Amino acid sequence: MQSLEELPNLKHLNGFLAVADCAVLSRAAQVIGLSQPALTQAVAGLETALGVALFARRSGGKVLTEPGRIFAERVRLGVGYLKGGFAPAGHKNLHHLVTGGQLRALIATVEQGGFSAGAAALKRQVSTVNRACRDLERLVGIALFEQTSVGTRATLQAEELSRAAKLALNEFRQGHFDVKCWQGEFEGRLAIGSLPLVQTSILPEAVSRFASEYPRVLVSVLDGRYASLARALRRGDLDLILGALRSEERVFELSQEALFRDSLVVVADPRHPLAVKSGRAAGSVTTAALAAYPWIMP
C-alpha cells in the first residue's frame, strides 16, 4: 500500500487537473504557475507512476482517457477537501501553494500531540517537522499552534486543517488504487469500524468472502464505541462503520445506509403471566406491561 511518503507531488496533481480543465498545455501552465516543460514532465511522471496514459491527444487539445477520468475524480475530491480546510484563511488558491511535506508534518504533529512525537512518527528530524509546520502556519496566516504551560499545542484550526489534509491525501492515494483496479489489479486497503451488532456473524462472514475474492486488499477491523469510531471515520482512518443506525443529529457530515431491519421479539416461557393473559392475540401485550416484569438479558 502506498504510504503518505510515496504520494505524488501536490503541484503535479494540481497541474494534472489544470490540463484536464484547460485541454491546452500552455493555458494550463499559466493557470498553475508552472512552465510548460515542467507541466509536461509532471504529467508524464504521474503517468509513469500509475502505469497508464492519463490523456489522449485530440484536435482540440488533450482529453482525459478512461483511467484519467477515474484518477481525476479522486484528485478533485481531495482538492475539494483542501479547499474546505483552507477556506477560513480566505485564500482560494492556497491548495496550489502548500506541499505534501507540510501537510504530512501537520497531520503527524496534530495526531501525535507535538513536534517531537510527530517527527518520530514520520522518522524525521524535529527541526524539519517544526519548520514545515511553521511555514504552513505563515502561509495560511492563521495560528495553528499555541504555547501552553505544558508545551506547544495544536489549535482547533490546526485540527480541522489536519483532518481536511488527511482526507485529501487519502483520496489521492485511493485514486492510485482505483486506476490499479481499472487495470485488473485489485489492491489497497479497507478499514472497517465495527459496532457490537455485526461482530458475531455479519462482519466476519463478509470479510471472509471479501478476502477470498480480493486477497491483495488489506482489510483491518477496529471495534469500539460509536463516538470514537465516528471520529476516526471523519479523519479518514476508517472507510466505513457497520452497526446500528444512529439518529440524524449524531451523524453530522456522515451518510447512513440501511442494510437490513431487525424485528424485536420477546422470548418467554409459555406459562408466563403475560403469555397466559394475552393468549394468541397479536399486539395485546403493551410496553408498559412488559416493563413491569424483570428481564434476564437482552
Side-chain angles (χ1 to χ4, degrees):
M1 183 174 67
Q2 265 190 324
S3 71
L4 290 180
E5 295 298 326
E6 298 167 343
L7 290 170
N9 183 295
L10 289 184
K11 189 170 283 291
H12 293 177
L13 292 177
N14 285 314
F16 161 71
L17 288 184
V19 176
D21 292 336
C22 298
V24 179
L25 271 174
S26 58
R27 192 181 310 151
Q30 291 178 344
V31 170
I32 202 63
L34 285 175
S35 67
Q36 189 169 330
L39 181 55
T40 301
Q41 186 176 4
V43 172
L46 285 175
E47 292 180 327
T48 299
L50 294 170
V52 295
L54 298 174
F55 294 98
R57 185 178 295 278
R58 296 289 186 269
S59 58
K62 288 182 173 291
V63 296
L64 289 167
T65 60
E66 184 176 353
R69 287 192 295 272
I70 293 171
F71 188 61
E73 183 177 352
R74 286 290 184 180
V75 175
R76 289 189 195 282
L77 284 172
V79 169
Y81 282 125
L82 287 182
K83 287 181 177 179
F86 289 129
H91 193 321
K92 64 179 182 179
N93 290 321
L94 277 177
H95 63 286
H96 286 168
L97 305 176
V98 299
T99 67
Q102 290 171 339
L103 297 182
R104 287 188 287 269
L106 175 68
I107 293 169
T109 300
V110 170
E111 293 191 345
Q112 301 301 321
F115 294 120
S116 297
L122 291 176
K123 298 180 180 179
R124 293 286 188 270
Q125 295 292 326
V126 177
S127 59
T128 301
V129 172
N130 190 313
R131 183 169 56 254
C133 288
R134 295 303 185 183
D135 288 344
L136 179 61
E137 188 175 47
R138 284 189 289 273
L139 185 65
V140 175
I142 295 175
L144 299 179
F145 304 95
E146 58 187 3
Q147 288 297 130
T148 69
S149 58
V150 295
T152 303
R153 183 178 67 184
T155 63
L156 291 177
Q157 291 87 345
E159 292 177 359
E160 282 303 305
L161 180 54
S162 171
R163 187 174 74 90
K166 190 164 188 178
L167 291 172
L169 295 180
N170 284 342
E171 291 294 344
F172 300 151
R173 180 193 295 109
Q174 190 58 49
H176 170 85
F177 293 141
D178 288 351
V179 172
K180 289 297 182 184
C181 288
W182 179 84
Q183 294 173 301
E185 301 177 20
F186 299 97
E187 59 182 56
R189 73 134 202 189
L190 178 62
I192 303 171
S194 173
L195 293 169
L197 177 66
V198 300
Q199 288 176 357
T200 56
S201 60
I202 299 172
L203 183 57
E205 180 183 350
V207 170
S208 178
R209 292 170 56 187
F210 182 86
S212 64
E213 189 170 351
Y214 303 101
R216 296 180 63 183
V217 176
L218 178 63
V219 180
S220 60
V221 177
L222 176 67
D223 60 358
R225 295 181 179 275
Y226 174 78
S228 62
L229 295 180
R231 284 194 298 270
L233 182 59
R234 289 190 178 95
R235 290 196 307 264
D237 293 326
L238 294 176
D239 296 302
L240 70 154
I241 299 173
L242 287 178
L245 295 175
R246 258 52 185 180
S247 57
E248 290 300 321
E249 63 268 17
R250 297 191 63 187
V251 292
F252 178 67
E253 293 184 333
L254 304 177
S255 60
Q256 296 191 117
E257 181 176 345
L259 299 179
F260 62 89
R261 297 192 180 276
D262 253 348
S263 298
L264 297 178
V265 298
V266 177
V267 180
D269 189 290
R271 293 166 294 180
H272 190 282
L274 289 181
V276 174
K277 183 178 179 180
S278 63
R280 295 181 177 273
S284 58
V285 179
T286 65
T287 303
L290 289 172
Y293 286 87
W295 293 72
I296 299 173
M297 61 179 293

